[in-house]
Amino acid sequence: MPFLGQDWRSPGWRWVKTEDGWKRCEPFSPALEDGNNQLNDISHTVIITGDDENEEVYNTEDCEFAAKKRKKDHFRNNTNSQCFYREKWIYVHKESTKERHGYCTLGEAFNRLDFSSAIQDIRRFNYVVKLLQLIAKSQLTSLSGAAQKNYFNILDKIVQKVMEDQYNPRLIKDLLQDLSSTLCILIRGVGKSVLVGNINIWICRLETILLWQQQLKNLQMNKQVNNGLTLSDLPLHMLNNILYRFSDGWDIITLGQVTPTLYMLSEDRQLWKKLCQYHFAEKQFCRHLIPSEKGHIDWKLMYFALQKYYPIKEQYGDTLHFCRHCSILFWKDTGHPCTASDPNTCLMPVSPQHFIDLFKF
């Protein structure tokens, strides 16, 4: 009798267990077939081991069993034969149909959208970190066991990337701070809140987070040795244009600490005024005018004051997109099998908060 998977029209798939959970793999591949042919030869031989006194002969059935076990181990360890979710998209369905049973979950989305690889892309790194930060603040108690494992595996890879590449440590520090604060509250309130899993596992996770925080605190930036053109060698108008491309006030302040020239440019009132106008409406900052000693508006203080009252615009190099026609969530550059006559009219960018809302049932 054939095996029927969730989709009754297909024969089911072969799955393999990895550190990120169970993943679908390709049933056949030339690399695996060559390995199987070599292992098949073992089942037709008789293996003799040991000394003359303790000689042990394995019959054909034992050899076949050993060969099957080696095939299984070879299949698990041979990464060339694995093909995990070549399509980087997921169908977001909120109700069961004849073809689809059950619901898609956050844990499934982590795997199908391949967040582990997404963090290696500099365009998607900030998006994934922001998403994990929102989950840490509001959705941590609703994660299943598989989703928890995927979440902390991705978080571990993010920390290791920051430690190796020293890329945007401030962002991951904020994430770990929010995550540790949430876990401390939940662990203290055991019985009042619902945490899926053993409390000792969560305590170990909290200890790991504290260790990561200490490692990031002790992180020393490597000084780049370069005899070529540096940032300080650029003309003033180019440096000014670079500062005007930043959408985060803290990034402007950090860059202003590099050289006296950059500090002078980072204190420009017009720069902070443009930043306020980009993130906030005129009605919002008119309610919180902060005059300076000279009687002018202090736009720098205005920005950080408004940030406490209103959310700032989110800006990412690459985001997930949702196709309203197909109900498919995907990375825009990977695409998806759209059946619409004009796919571009059906696309909608998905913010990290919107992503979480899609999986709230």
Side-chain angles (χ1 to χ4, degrees):
M1 181 176 179
F3 168 75
L4 297 180
Q6 287 189 345
D7 188 344
W8 56 271
R9 300 168 299 182
S10 65
W13 298 93
R14 182 174 296 181
W15 298 78
V16 64
K17 190 174 183 180
T18 68
E19 61 178 3
D20 295 326
W22 288 93
K23 293 187 176 181
R24 192 181 73 199
C25 53
E26 206 171 41
F28 301 101
S29 71
L32 182 61
E33 194 65 29
D34 294 340
N36 287 345
N37 292 335
Q38 295 176 3
L39 294 170
N40 282 334
D41 298 337
I42 302 177
S43 61
H44 300 291
T45 60
V46 177
I47 304 174
I48 301 177
T49 60
D51 301 331
D52 295 337
E53 297 180 357
N54 298 322
E55 190 173 3
E56 192 173 337
V57 180
Y58 293 90
N59 56 28
T60 304
E61 293 181 358
D62 293 334
C63 293
E64 290 178 354
F65 176 79
K68 288 180 180 179
K69 187 176 186 305
R70 289 189 181 91
K71 286 181 186 179
K72 192 174 182 181
D73 294 339
H74 174 80
F75 181 76
R76 287 179 174 177
N77 296 329
N78 188 1
T79 56
N80 294 328
S81 66
Q82 297 174 359
C83 181
F84 300 144
Y85 298 119
R86 286 178 294 185
E87 64 283 0
K88 300 296 189 298
W89 52 265
I90 182 171
Y91 179 83
V92 181
H93 52 103
K94 295 190 176 182
E95 58 184 12
S96 296
T97 64
K98 190 175 182 179
E99 291 81 10
R100 297 178 181 273
H101 298 280
Y103 304 91
C104 52
T105 61
L106 273 175
E108 185 181 359
F110 286 157
N111 280 338
R112 294 295 298 269
L113 297 171
D114 198 11
F115 281 6
S116 296
S117 299
I119 61 175
Q120 303 301 327
D121 190 333
I122 193 172
R123 300 171 303 161
R124 301 174 180 173
F125 182 84
N126 292 1
Y127 183 91
V128 176
V129 172
K130 181 63 176 179
L131 177 59
L132 296 186
Q133 189 173 15
L134 291 176
I135 293 175
K137 290 180 178 180
S138 60
Q139 297 295 113
L140 203 58
T141 56
S142 62
L143 294 181
S144 64
Q148 291 173 21
K149 188 174 182 180
N150 292 337
Y151 181 93
F152 282 94
N153 282 339
I154 295 171
L155 185 59
D156 182 33
K157 293 178 180 179
I158 290 176
V159 174
Q160 298 307 318
K161 176 178 175 58
V162 173
M163 296 295 294
E164 293 173 3
D165 301 343
Q166 300 175 349
Y167 175 73
N168 210 341
R170 179 174 58 82
L171 196 63
I172 188 62
K173 286 179 181 179
D174 293 340
L175 166 59
L176 294 178
Q177 180 60 40
D178 291 337
L179 185 57
S180 61
S181 300
T182 303
L183 276 183
C184 287
I185 295 173
L186 293 175
I187 290 175
R188 291 195 196 103
V190 173
K192 298 179 182 179
S193 60
V194 179
L195 272 177
V196 178
N198 190 289
I199 186 62
N200 294 324
I201 296 177
W202 286 102
I203 293 176
C204 291
R205 287 171 176 167
L206 179 58
E207 292 175 351
T208 302
I209 293 170
L210 296 177
L211 177 62
W212 286 338
Q213 287 179 311
Q214 187 62 38
Q215 291 176 347
L216 291 172
K217 185 178 180 180
N218 298 332
L219 180 63
Q220 297 292 331
M221 295 296 180
N222 296 330
K223 187 175 182 180
Q224 299 293 332
V225 179
N226 189 358
N227 297 326
L229 187 67
T230 63
L231 185 65
S232 302
D233 297 326
L234 296 176
L236 287 179
H237 71 277
M238 293 186 67
L239 293 174
N240 201 41
N241 286 336
I242 292 174
L243 286 169
Y244 270 84
R245 296 296 186 273
F246 286 4
S247 61
D248 191 333
W250 283 110
D251 290 337
I252 295 176
I253 292 177
T254 302
L255 185 59
Q257 296 173 350
V258 176
T259 63
T261 301
L262 287 171
Y263 175 77
M264 177 191 67
L265 294 174
S266 67
E267 292 295 317
D268 182 23
R269 290 179 58 252
Q270 191 66 22
L271 171 65
W272 290 97
K273 181 180 180 180
K274 291 289 185 182
L275 195 62
C276 289
Q277 291 174 341
Y278 173 77
H279 286 289
F280 311 106
E282 186 175 354
K283 293 182 180 179
Q284 292 175 337
F285 58 73
C286 282
R287 298 174 184 173
H288 304 275
L289 293 177
I290 303 177
S292 63
E293 296 179 356
K294 297 180 180 180
H296 302 294
I297 298 176
D298 194 329
W299 292 104
K300 182 178 179 180
L301 292 180
M302 277 278 294
Y303 170 80
F304 291 104
L306 292 170
Q307 199 177 28
K308 298 178 181 178
Y309 297 100
Y310 309 104
I312 62 175
K313 287 184 180 179
E314 297 179 355
Q315 188 179 40
Y316 304 102
D318 190 17
T319 64
L320 290 171
H321 281 69
F322 182 74
C323 179
R324 292 187 293 267
H325 178 77
C326 307
S327 296
I328 286 179
L329 192 65
F330 64 101
W331 295 106
K332 189 175 182 180
D333 59 348
T334 59
H336 76 290
C338 188
T339 58
S341 56
D342 189 2
N344 292 330
T345 61
C346 307
L347 302 186
M348 178 181 66
V350 177
S351 67
Q353 184 59 55
H354 186 199
F355 175 88
I356 295 175
D357 295 338
L358 286 174
F359 294 93
K360 285 183 178 178
F361 305 118

